[in-house]
Amino acid sequence: MNLLSMNGISLSHTDKVLLENVSFGVDEGDKIGIIGINGSGKSSLLRIIAGEIKHYEGDMVKGNNVVISYLPQDPVFDKDQTLHDYVVTENQKSEGSRDEYEIEENRSQLEVEAAKILHRLGFEDQTVRVGTLSGGQKKKAALAACLLRKADILLLDEPTNHLDNAMNEWLQDYLSSYKGALVMVTHDRYFLDLTCNRIVEVEGGALYSYDCNYEGYLQLKQQRLDMALSTQDKHANILRKELAWMQRGARARSTKQKAHIGRFEALRDEEKLELTKSVEINAVSSRLGKKTIEINAISKAYGDRELIKDFTYTFTRDDKIGILGPNGCGKTTLINMISGKLRPDSGYIETGDTVVLSVYEQHSDSMNDEMRVIDYVRDKAEYIRTEDGYISASQMCERFLFDGTLQYQKIAKLSGGEKRRLYLCRILMEAPNVLILDEPTNDLDISTLQILEDYLDSYKGILIVISHDRYFLDRTVRRMLTFNPGGEVRLFNGSYTDYYTERRENEALSERGAIAVGSSKTSDTAAAGESGKDKRGNGDQKHRVKFSYNEAREYETIEDDIAAAEAKGARLEKEIAENASDYGKLRQLTEQKEANDEKLEKLMERYFYLEEKAAMING
């Protein structure tokens, strides 16, 4: 059943056409992801549906009883309300809600549900005033209110911003099973792929709809572009022939000649396919010497809360590191100590003389809204060195999609995404050999992220990334620093998906092990109860050594695991010898060999422990 229809919608902002005579509809069961470059009109489309933008051309028809719940990009709050009261009040006053009477009657139930969802989104103290929350916390509070509302259509503008990885995974599961329709703007490609059954791209004022997830969209869009370019090439060949005919002096004296001229003019005036412009990034990095950044037993605490405890790590010259952990665990604190903004409570950090470090911060509040775009870039440098030589600040702006008109606009007039893209431009102009990216995917469109990922593929230097975007982490980093309770920071060799998979497997094993051990303990207790008097009376009860459920399973397979690791080591040694002259391949194989050796060593240690325990069990 159709819930909402839009026909012939057009919308302009100043002199820029955002939507031009577009049609759009939402049906029951739709899970729609809206994508497009920053400033293309994605948020404006959501605001029209939500009723926030009323001055547009065209018609929108919504079902009489259809309720819409909307999460805007920048929510507005009553700063004096408590967090919990805000969520409850937003749901009581929801305009047009079919359940308004029921909500009034069941406020206590609503309060319980509000407390649950706020807790799930990381809010422990729900009595705090909204005015004291950070920007990210406010967005999460608005998300809680939006999800709690009973709605037929859920509109979400960048819902994953400011969520940590665990919350991101929870929201993904929640929306996958959501009963109503979903229309969402997000840059998170894994999120799109696993949540949506339809992708709508906003491009050049038009909407292109694809009935598939994000992976399917990539395939179908490529097919559309290939077909359009093929047709355009054929028309170009015909046009060249027609032009040659016209240049031979033909005159419009006959019906046949008039037809020729008409065809030529139609082909000449035919609108050509223009591929969407994308950001170009090829600024170079500075040379990095042997000494990089050495972290020596650093610790950092705030009051009695220890964020980082006795952490040591030395970065290699081409390290690509992701940093994982829940919000507030100390990720940004760590990079602030690495960059020199903060000092550790104990321990020290040594930085090599050749290190040129740049930080793409989560909040670019230092941007002066009164500056023009071109002046903001020129303030860093008039000319920038790239792999192709030197280019001017104006040319650099054009590579980041700020053309002549936009270059002379004030920063205040840019969208949030355009500001972040400008900020990225300035950071990369510094030619850093140590690049720290703190939540780079917030407010950057997918096209810009794809180009940034391409750039980072060949980046010669140290890359440190904090991100909740799982796809971005998988594309850009090879190791993970994970924050754990008590301030412990651990190194994980592998991608985010490797880490996530291993964590889920360990959690599943632990859960099964806990059940098995619990059952065993119950049986032991019951048995002890039957003959408890005798055992307690003579005081001769002995603790019997035995395997846990997990240990028993591990003991059965560990020899096979060791054999597999040894075989893999032998294969890698052979490949290393065969690729001695290929530096890139050699480095990759060497890293794999080191990781495999470390795994084998741990397996052997575990094997000896289990063997000793088996000997004790068998007497």
Side-chain angles (χ1 to χ4, degrees):
M1 186 180 78
N2 181 258
L3 302 175
L4 177 142
S5 294
M6 303 169 70
N7 297 292
I9 300 293
S10 295
L11 178 71
S12 298
H13 179 65
T14 60
D15 59 344
K16 184 177 182 180
V17 176
L18 296 176
L19 302 171
E20 187 172 15
N21 194 30
V22 303
S23 295
F24 179 75
V26 182
D27 296 333
E28 283 186 346
D30 272 348
K31 300 284 175 63
I32 303 171
I34 309 292
I35 64 174
I37 66 169
N38 289 332
S40 62
K42 304 186 298 294
S43 294
S44 296
L45 179 63
L46 260 61
R47 292 181 66 202
I48 291 174
I49 298 172
E52 287 202 348
I53 294 179
K54 301 183 184 298
H55 301 291
Y56 56 87
E57 297 178 15
D59 301 308
M60 182 173 73
V61 179
K62 184 182 74 169
N64 290 333
N65 296 319
V66 171
V67 177
I68 293 175
S69 185
Y70 172 50
L71 172 71
Q73 199 169 76
D74 298 302
V76 178
F77 298 86
D78 177 352
K79 63 181 181 180
D80 294 324
Q81 274 187 305
T82 68
L83 175 60
H84 186 266
D85 284 346
Y86 159 75
V87 175
V88 172
T89 304
E90 283 296 301
N91 278 273
Q92 284 188 308
K93 72 179 184 183
S94 56
E95 185 179 351
S97 172
R98 294 169 300 183
D99 302 297
E100 198 165 349
Y101 176 76
E102 290 90 340
I103 288 175
E104 263 322 314
E105 290 294 307
N106 299 290
R107 180 181 172 91
S108 60
Q109 181 182 350
L110 180 61
E111 288 179 340
V112 170
E113 293 301 316
K116 283 182 182 177
I117 200 164
L118 284 169
H119 176 73
R120 192 63 191 80
L121 289 171
F123 292 105
E124 299 302 328
D125 183 2
Q126 299 177 14
T127 63
V128 297
R129 301 288 171 184
V130 175
T132 65
L133 300 177
S134 68
Q137 289 172 320
K138 287 178 180 177
K139 184 70 181 276
K140 285 199 293 183
L143 175 61
C146 183
L147 294 179
L148 193 59
R149 190 171 300 124
K150 295 180 180 179
D152 301 288
I153 302 176
L154 195 58
L155 301 179
L156 303 178
D157 198 345
E158 298 291 4
T160 62
N161 282 3
H162 310 293
L163 298 185
D164 61 37
N165 297 82
M167 291 178 192
N168 209 336
E169 290 157 12
W170 170 80
L171 181 61
Q172 176 184 291
D173 292 340
Y174 179 92
L175 295 178
S176 296
S177 58
Y178 184 71
K179 300 299 182 186
L182 169 68
V183 184
M184 169 178 62
V185 173
T186 183
H187 56 262
D188 189 319
R189 284 152 286 179
Y190 280 164
F191 203 91
L192 283 168
D193 202 49
L194 296 169
T195 306
C196 297
N197 56 26
R198 183 175 157 205
I199 301 294
V200 173
E201 184 173 22
V202 185
E203 183 180 318
L207 300 184
Y208 298 92
S209 184
Y210 304 85
D211 292 326
C212 54
N213 63 3
Y214 182 73
E215 182 181 350
Y217 149 77
L218 292 175
Q219 296 171 350
L220 292 175
K221 180 177 182 181
Q222 187 59 56
Q223 290 174 15
R224 178 176 72 82
L225 291 176
D226 289 344
M227 289 174 63
L229 288 170
S230 175
T231 301
Q232 186 167 293
D233 287 343
K234 289 176 183 176
H235 284 197
N237 287 331
I238 295 171
L239 185 59
R240 280 191 288 271
K241 293 177 182 177
E242 293 290 290
L243 179 60
W245 182 85
M246 293 289 290
Q247 289 174 339
R248 282 200 300 268
R251 294 291 180 264
R253 291 176 183 167
S254 68
T255 303
K256 189 174 181 180
Q257 287 171 330
K258 285 179 181 178
H260 253 105
I261 293 169
R263 186 163 62 159
F264 167 75
E265 290 176 342
L267 288 168
R268 179 198 63 196
D269 298 335
E270 186 178 61
E271 186 175 346
K272 301 297 186 294
L273 174 70
E274 289 187 13
L275 296 178
T276 306
K277 291 181 179 178
S278 61
V279 178
E280 295 180 46
I281 308 176
N282 67 348
V284 297
S285 58
S286 307
R287 187 189 69 83
L288 184 60
K290 286 185 177 181
K291 185 170 183 179
T292 58
I293 299 173
E294 298 176 2
I295 301 175
N296 298 278
I298 64 170
S299 296
K300 187 70 179 177
Y302 289 97
D304 58 354
R305 187 167 174 234
E306 198 158 27
L307 296 180
I308 299 167
K309 182 179 180 181
D310 196 27
F311 175 55
T312 296
Y313 187 76
T314 299
F315 289 92
T316 62
R317 283 192 290 179
D318 61 349
D319 241 345
K320 304 293 186 287
I321 296 279
I323 302 180
L324 293 180
N327 289 337
C329 69
K331 301 187 297 293
T332 301
T333 298
L334 175 60
I335 64 172
N336 282 341
M337 287 192 287
I338 292 172
S339 66
K341 282 188 174 182
L342 278 178
R343 292 179 62 86
D345 297 336
S346 61
Y348 60 96
I349 298 175
E350 290 184 320
T351 301
D353 293 335
T354 60
V355 167
V356 179
L357 187 148
S358 293
V359 183
Y360 179 91
E361 296 179 296
Q362 192 172 156
H363 305 289
S364 49
D365 298 332
S366 58
M367 297 179 84
N368 181 353
D369 279 352
E370 294 304 309
M371 287 184 76
R372 297 181 305 176
V373 169
I374 186 67
D375 294 331
Y376 179 74
V377 176
R378 281 177 177 160
D379 192 48
K380 177 56 61 177
E382 182 64 48
Y383 290 93
I384 302 98
R385 186 166 64 93
T386 72
E387 291 178 348
D388 304 323
Y390 284 86
I391 62 172
S392 67
S394 178
Q395 289 172 310
M396 189 70 172
C397 285
E398 288 177 358
R399 291 190 176 195
F400 277 76
L401 305 186
F402 297 104
D403 59 21
T405 305
L406 272 177
Q407 286 180 26
Y408 290 91
Q409 278 193 7
K410 288 185 176 180
I411 291 174
K413 292 187 176 181
L414 301 180
S415 70
E418 287 171 328
K419 287 181 179 179
R420 298 296 285 172
R421 194 196 312 145
L422 179 61
Y423 179 54
L424 175 64
C425 171
R426 179 161 157 151
I427 290 295
L428 295 182
M429 285 172 58
E430 298 171 1
N433 50 35
V434 177
L435 179 59
I436 298 177
L437 303 177
D438 190 356
E439 295 293 1
T441 62
N442 284 358
D443 300 316
L444 286 181
D445 58 67
I446 289 175
S447 296
T448 304
L449 288 175
Q450 289 168 338
I451 302 299
L452 176 58
E453 288 159 359
D454 250 7
Y455 167 77
L456 294 175
D457 280 344
S458 57
Y459 175 69
K460 297 178 177 64
I462 296 170
L463 175 66
I464 305 170
V465 179
I466 296 175
S467 180
H468 62 267
D469 189 319
R470 299 158 292 175
Y471 186 98
F472 188 81
L473 286 171
D474 275 347
R475 278 283 279 109
T476 59
V477 304
R478 299 194 294 266
R479 292 177 172 180
M480 300 288 163
L481 291 176
T482 64
F483 276 69
N484 300 279
E488 182 189 24
V489 182
R490 296 178 187 166
L491 177 67
F492 177 85
N493 283 299
S495 67
Y496 173 80
T497 296
D498 294 334
Y499 168 76
Y500 175 77
T501 303
E502 185 171 302
R503 192 191 74 194
R504 280 293 177 95
E505 288 174 352
N506 288 339
E507 287 174 353
L509 284 172
S510 296
E511 187 176 339
R512 289 199 294 269
I515 294 170
V517 170
S519 302
S520 174
K521 285 181 178 177
T522 303
S523 301
D524 289 346
T525 303
E530 291 174 4
S531 57
K533 288 183 180 179
D534 294 337
K535 289 186 177 181
R536 284 191 296 271
N538 60 27
D540 194 31
Q541 183 179 2
K542 293 183 180 179
H543 174 67
R544 188 167 65 89
V545 177
K546 61 181 179 179
F547 277 142
S548 69
Y549 174 79
N550 284 344
E551 287 174 334
R553 291 189 60 189
E554 189 180 6
Y555 187 58
E556 290 176 2
T557 61
I558 195 165
E559 289 188 29
D560 292 337
D561 294 339
I562 290 170
E566 288 174 339
K568 184 177 180 180
R571 177 176 58 78
L572 287 170
E573 283 182 359
K574 183 179 178 182
E575 289 185 33
I576 287 170
E578 292 171 350
N579 292 275
S581 60
D582 185 340
Y583 175 73
K585 183 70 172 174
L586 185 63
R587 183 181 62 192
Q588 183 182 14
L589 290 169
T590 302
E591 287 178 353
Q592 291 177 18
K593 181 68 166 55
E594 289 174 354
N596 189 70
D597 288 346
E598 186 177 342
K599 179 182 178 181
L600 181 58
E601 186 177 345
K602 289 180 179 178
L603 283 169
M604 292 302 297
E605 288 177 0
R606 188 65 176 165
Y607 173 74
F608 292 136
Y609 164 77
L610 293 172
E611 276 291 311
E612 287 178 7
K613 193 166 185 178
M616 293 173 66
I617 292 171
N618 296 325

